Amino acid sequence: MSAPALYLEKIERSYDQAGLPLEILRGADFSLWAGQSVALIAPSGAGKSTLLHIAGLLEKPDAGEVYVAGLGTTHLADDARTALRRSEIGFVYQFHHLLPEFSALENIMLPQMIGGYSRREAKDRAMQLLDYLGLAARGKHRPAELSGGEQQRVAIARAVANGPGLLLADEPTGNLDPKTANHVFEALDAIVRATGLATLIATHNMELAGRMDRRVTLRDGLLVELA
């Protein structure tokens, strides 16, 4: 059987708060497989963003191991972690973080070109993604000329442009009205189903969470499965 796209093994993480340790993760375990979508539901301050940063190799745990596509990562050199993150992990945030001086098409092309794709390959892939997400007519528009929902769909396209195996999203519909949030979630879900991505999404939207394959929460520093 193939390895999980993401496996967190006994992850510990704490921060110094006024000279005292604030424990966020206390031996958390979690497995996420290709083609699965998992909602991470927890109150603000529970550690959702910390968990996503560790899973996305943006932050190292104090103890434990993070496996991405079967590869242990905590002892990798920084350049190796960066290379793995670029090739295997896509990120979508609450704010789109698109580059304002570039068009939607160019925003999706840039990570591909950094990853070694030719300009033609990157453009073809970007145009396919825009078309798939219903944005074919918006490719030449800059972020400021797009609606909030369109901006987030472009951000999703950018996140998956390099063909990662793992997609991490931190409240990707948090700034959107319910109708727009639903459209963005449907676009995200369609991409996941079409590509076999493993997806972990932190969200407060219980309706959207209910449509995902699994739901987990953070409780006493551990990841707990919800019914």
Side-chain angles (χ1 to χ4, degrees), residues 16-107:
D16 182 83
Q17 188 177 64
L20 297 173
L22 175 64
E23 293 184 317
I24 303 297
L25 300 172
R26 305 176 183 179
D29 292 313
F30 177 69
S31 296
L32 175 61
W33 301 88
Q36 274 190 340
S37 61
V38 178
L40 173 59
I41 308 160
S44 297
K48 296 190 302 295
S49 293
T50 295
L51 181 77
L52 288 173
H53 288 167
I54 289 173
L57 309 184
L58 295 170
E59 184 176 335
K60 286 189 176 182
D62 298 325
E65 182 59 276
V66 179
Y67 294 90
V68 175
L71 177 67
T73 64
T74 56
H75 298 294
L76 291 177
D78 286 345
D79 58 347
R81 287 168 61 87
T82 298
L84 184 63
R85 187 166 59 243
R86 283 179 178 167
S87 65
E88 290 294 331
I89 305 173
F91 295 89
V92 182
Y93 299 97
Q94 186 169 350
F95 185 71
H96 58 78
H97 294 298
L98 298 173
L99 298 173
E101 65 271 29
F102 293 100
S103 69
L105 184 69
E106 291 166 339
N107 265 282

Side-chain angles (χ1 to χ4, degrees), residues 134-156:
L135 295 170
R138 308 294 277 167
K140 294 182 180 179
H141 291 70
R142 294 186 179 183
E145 300 171 310
L146 303 174
S147 70
E150 289 170 339
Q151 290 168 347
Q152 279 301 75
R153 280 184 281 164
V154 173
I156 291 167

Side-chain angles (χ1 to χ4, degrees), residues 51-214:
L51 181 77
L52 288 173
H53 288 167
I54 289 173
L57 309 184
L58 295 170
E59 184 176 335
K60 286 189 176 182
D62 298 325
E65 182 59 276
V66 179
Y67 294 90
V68 175
L71 177 67
T73 64
T74 56
H75 298 294
L76 291 177
D78 286 345
D79 58 347
R81 287 168 61 87
T82 298
L84 184 63
R85 187 166 59 243
R86 283 179 178 167
S87 65
E88 290 294 331
I89 305 173
F91 295 89
V92 182
Y93 299 97
Q94 186 169 350
F95 185 71
H96 58 78
H97 294 298
L98 298 173
L99 298 173
E101 65 271 29
F102 293 100
S103 69
L105 184 69
E106 291 166 339
N107 265 282
I108 303 168
M109 290 172 62
L110 282 170
Q112 298 180 75
M113 294 171 69
I114 292 170
Y117 288 87
S118 71
R119 184 176 182 84
R120 170 51 61 187
E121 289 173 325
K123 185 176 181 180
D124 287 348
R125 170 76 167 159
M127 291 176 67
Q128 288 171 3
L129 286 167
L130 284 171
D131 184 52
Y132 189 81
L133 293 173
L135 295 170
R138 308 294 277 167
K140 294 182 180 179
H141 291 70
R142 294 186 179 183
E145 300 171 310
L146 303 174
S147 70
E150 289 170 339
Q151 290 168 347
Q152 279 301 75
R153 280 184 281 164
V154 173
I156 291 167
R158 179 185 57 184
V160 302
N162 279 350
L166 174 64
L167 181 66
L168 303 173
D170 195 354
E171 295 287 351
T173 62
N175 286 334
L176 305 174
D177 64 82
K179 184 177 179 180
T180 303
N182 186 62
H183 287 159
V184 169
F185 179 83
E186 287 179 348
L188 182 58
D189 187 59
I191 286 282
V192 170
R193 303 302 173 193
T195 61
L197 270 169
T199 310
L200 177 62
I201 302 178
T203 183
H204 285 108
N205 190 319
M206 298 303 293
E207 180 187 351
L208 298 186
R211 292 155 59 182
M212 299 175 70
D213 297 325
R214 292 164 53 200

